[in-house]
Amino acid sequence: MSNPYELYYWPSIQGRGEFVRLALEEASVKYIDVARAHGKGLGTGAMMKLMDAGKVDHAPFAPPFLRAGKILVSQTANILLFIGDHYKLAPANEVGRLFVHGLQLTIADLVVEVHDTHHPISGNYYYEDQKPEAKKRADDFRRERIPKFLGYFEDVIKRNGGKYLTGARLTYADLSLFQIVAGLHYAFPKHMKRIAKNYSKIMQIHDLVAARPRIAEYLNSDRRLPFNEEGIFRHYPELDG
Amino acid sequence: MSNPYELYYWPSIQGRGEFVRLALEEASVKYIDVARAHGKGLGTGAMMKLMDAGKVDHAPFAPPFLRAGKILVSQTANILLFIGDHYKLAPANEVGRLFVHGLQLTIADLVVEVHDTHHPISGNYYYEDQKPEAKKRADDFRRERIPKFLGYFEDVIKRNGGKYLTGARLTYADLSLFQIVAGLHYAFPKHMKRIAKNYSKIMQIHDLVAARPRIAEYLNSDRRLPFNEEGIFRHYPELDG
């Protein structure tokens, strides 16, 4: 591909775009973070323009999406499938490739549930307008859902030898698991401190990913946005139990 | 593959398993609906056994999952990706293939939101224990989310010529869109009656799919479970506006 890839995502949050950024960074792919850039054909306006399904071929439903030459690919897990295939961040054989994608889709389910801890009624209302409901949903999430998801990933890692999710080699799902751990620690610091010891293999993947040279460089750069209370992982102390 | 495929899903609901069943039926693939069958190595127990990630290679997080020879593939959209590739229910070229998968993942997002209209707080509580919250979430879903999702799919169909989602040829995403329409009509009959006219292309795909010989035969068979109030699409009149 002669032109750099174009990543389209909301400019002020990590959000779902971050799972894509981590993969692009680890793969050392040149990309423009379009909505965060300034100039002709850049910025949030350029992103909105591509989402007009009446006028654009293969228009995405929502960010993030990636333009790679002639390909316009949307939905986080689908973008990672594409990057995984082209940059060896997934096994080449069908059995392994589908397994990694299944793991990623399970991570995507977890991401929806994390978001809904602070927005159980609607993304169209402020958190402040759904606080009692958020409290209930977050309580259930901490008690029931975190153990279910993290217990599953912990078992998968152990079953595959105890290093990365699928064995000795890093895949895009490991990069996403890193982001899940970082985000859960940001959103639920007290709770995560209490339970981290139950998920030592997951925590080890977090540390292994953070220490990879390209990821370490990225995390220290200003390309990595900080977590904040506009994104998916938000720290509201009243939701931390 | 010499052995028939094995589909694993909860035996008494359409749920997410139905999106897979529709694709298997259209592709005329021989499959055993394991949890609905009786005998040695069959039934819900056989399904639960495969979900033990500590003991099973490539164990799924949740149903549905499909065993196809050596492949154990989980997550609805991932199973459809696999079926699409092997049975020509998706374009063979990368651009089209990724676009269809993106559409399917958008349908998957819609399915989560439909489910959460009756379970906005937790799947671990009964609907009866979260009725006020369900009312609020369903109101927002009908008013804001249905138009956003259906408006997008309607535009996509028009953009691609007005027959199926990606043009003249059926893909697995069309089969899933059929199920979305059927399910929304079941869950929100009054509301859908009012708004169906705004989505004539989507409704046409519903009818085209229902009339396909293999699908018509399936829908009339007892392999097709009825909708009920245990599944994703539930009819609670108080949520229908």
Side-chain angles (χ1 to χ4, degrees):
Chain A
M1 224 69 70
S2 51
N3 291 323
Y5 286 4
E6 294 169 5
L7 170 66
Y8 293 82
Y9 195 65
W10 305 112
S12 58
I13 58 170
Q14 290 185 10
R16 285 176 172 82
E18 196 63 15
F19 298 95
V20 180
R21 288 193 192 100
L22 287 165
L24 292 170
E25 296 282 347
E26 175 63 25
S28 204
V29 176
K30 274 205 179 163
Y31 69 99
I32 303 168
D33 207 332
V34 176
R36 287 172 70 187
H38 302 280
K40 201 170 173 294
L42 300 169
T44 309
M47 179 171 89
M48 301 313 285
K49 232 172 152 176
L50 283 178
M51 290 168 61
D52 186 347
K55 293 184 181 158
V56 176
D57 283 339
H58 301 163
F61 178 72
F65 48 93
L66 183 75
R67 183 140 68 177
K70 284 182 185 173
I71 294 180
L72 188 59
V73 54
S74 69
Q75 285 278 359
T76 309
N78 200 24
I79 302 170
L80 294 174
L81 184 71
F82 170 82
I83 297 173
D85 283 348
H86 288 263
Y87 298 95
K88 299 191 177 169
L89 282 173
N93 68 82
E94 188 173 32
V95 174
R97 197 171 161 273
L98 290 171
F99 180 55
V100 170
H101 197 47
L103 292 173
Q104 188 64 42
L105 289 169
T106 302
I107 288 172
D109 287 345
L110 173 53
V111 168
V112 172
E113 295 197 24
V114 171
H115 172 270
D116 284 7
T117 58
H118 48 79
H119 278 77
I121 301 300
S122 165
N124 298 311
Y125 304 144
Y126 292 111
Y127 166 62
E128 285 69 25
D129 297 326
Q130 47 196 311
K131 280 179 83 166
E133 295 91 348
K135 177 84 171 57
K136 282 193 208 176
R137 178 138 187 173
D139 284 349
D140 183 79
F141 177 75
R142 289 194 323 278
R143 273 184 217 141
E144 304 288 340
R145 303 305 287 168
I146 290 183
K148 192 166 164 68
F149 279 103
L150 296 193
Y152 169 72
F153 291 123
E154 184 79 4
D155 282 347
V156 166
I157 303 162
K158 284 183 189 158
R159 175 85 192 161
N160 290 323
K163 193 177 179 189
Y164 289 116
L165 276 161
T166 59
R169 265 193 86 165
L170 179 95
T171 70
Y172 60 78
D174 295 297
L175 300 172
S176 293
L177 191 61
F178 157 83
Q179 178 67 6
I180 292 289
V181 171
L184 288 177
H185 273 287
Y186 175 79
F188 307 102
K190 274 169 49 189
H191 185 71
M192 287 304 291
K193 207 177 161 186
R194 264 197 301 274
I195 65 165
K197 64 179 183 305
N198 303 331
Y199 308 107
S200 60
K201 295 294 178 189
I202 293 177
M203 301 305 148
Q204 186 181 303
I205 287 184
H206 170 275
D207 296 349
L208 285 170
V209 168
R212 292 179 76 90
R214 289 166 181 174
I215 297 294
E217 191 276 319
Y218 167 65
L219 295 176
N220 278 317
S221 75
D222 57 13
R223 300 194 301 288
R224 170 81 165 182
L225 291 161
F227 285 107
N228 63 35
E229 277 57 56
E230 306 291 321
I232 289 165
F233 296 100
R234 304 188 186 185
H235 178 51
Y236 295 127
E238 62 274 23
L239 302 185
D240 192 15
Chain B
M1 223 72 68
S2 51
N3 291 324
Y5 285 5
E6 295 169 4
L7 170 65
Y8 294 82
Y9 195 64
W10 304 112
S12 58
I13 58 170
Q14 290 185 10
R16 286 177 170 82
E18 196 63 16
F19 298 95
V20 180
R21 287 192 192 101
L22 287 165
L24 292 171
E25 296 282 346
E26 175 63 27
S28 204
V29 175
K30 274 206 180 162
Y31 67 100
I32 302 168
D33 208 332
V34 176
R36 289 171 70 188
H38 302 280
K40 199 170 173 293
L42 300 169
T44 309
M47 179 172 89
M48 302 312 285
K49 230 171 153 177
L50 282 178
M51 291 167 62
D52 185 346
K55 293 186 183 159
V56 176
D57 282 339
H58 301 162
F61 177 70
F65 49 93
L66 184 75
R67 183 140 66 176
K70 283 183 185 172
I71 294 181
L72 188 61
V73 53
S74 69
Q75 285 279 358
T76 310
N78 199 25
I79 302 170
L80 293 173
L81 184 72
F82 169 81
I83 297 173
D85 284 349
H86 288 263
Y87 298 94
K88 299 190 178 170
L89 283 174
N93 68 82
E94 186 173 32
V95 174
R97 195 171 163 274
L98 290 171
F99 180 55
V100 171
H101 196 48
L103 292 173
Q104 188 64 43
L105 289 169
T106 302
I107 288 172
D109 287 345
L110 174 52
V111 167
V112 172
E113 296 197 24
V114 172
H115 171 270
D116 284 5
T117 58
H118 49 78
H119 278 77
I121 301 300
S122 163
N124 299 311
Y125 304 143
Y126 291 111
Y127 166 61
E128 284 69 24
D129 297 327
Q130 47 195 312
K131 279 178 85 166
E133 296 91 348
K135 178 83 172 57
K136 285 194 208 177
R137 179 138 188 174
D139 285 350
D140 183 80
F141 178 75
R142 287 194 325 278
R143 275 184 214 140
E144 304 288 340
R145 303 304 288 169
I146 289 183
K148 193 167 163 69
F149 279 104
L150 296 193
Y152 169 74
F153 292 123
E154 185 78 5
D155 282 347
V156 166
I157 303 163
K158 284 183 187 158
R159 176 84 192 162
N160 290 323
K163 193 176 178 189
Y164 289 116
L165 276 161
T166 60
R169 264 192 87 166
L170 178 96
T171 69
Y172 60 78
D174 295 297
L175 300 172
S176 293
L177 191 60
F178 157 84
Q179 178 67 6
I180 292 289
V181 171
L184 288 177
H185 273 286
Y186 176 80
F188 307 103
K190 277 169 49 189
H191 185 72
M192 287 304 291
K193 206 177 163 186
R194 265 197 301 273
I195 66 165
K197 64 178 184 302
N198 302 332
Y199 308 108
S200 60
K201 295 294 178 189
I202 292 176
M203 300 305 148
Q204 187 180 301
I205 288 184
H206 170 274
D207 296 350
L208 284 170
V209 168
R212 292 180 76 91
R214 290 167 180 171
I215 298 294
E217 191 275 319
Y218 167 66
L219 295 176
N220 278 315
S221 75
D222 57 11
R223 300 195 299 289
R224 171 81 166 183
L225 291 162
F227 285 107
N228 62 36
E229 279 55 57
E230 305 292 321
I232 289 165
F233 296 99
R234 305 188 186 186
H235 178 50
Y236 295 127
E238 61 274 23
L239 302 185
D240 192 15

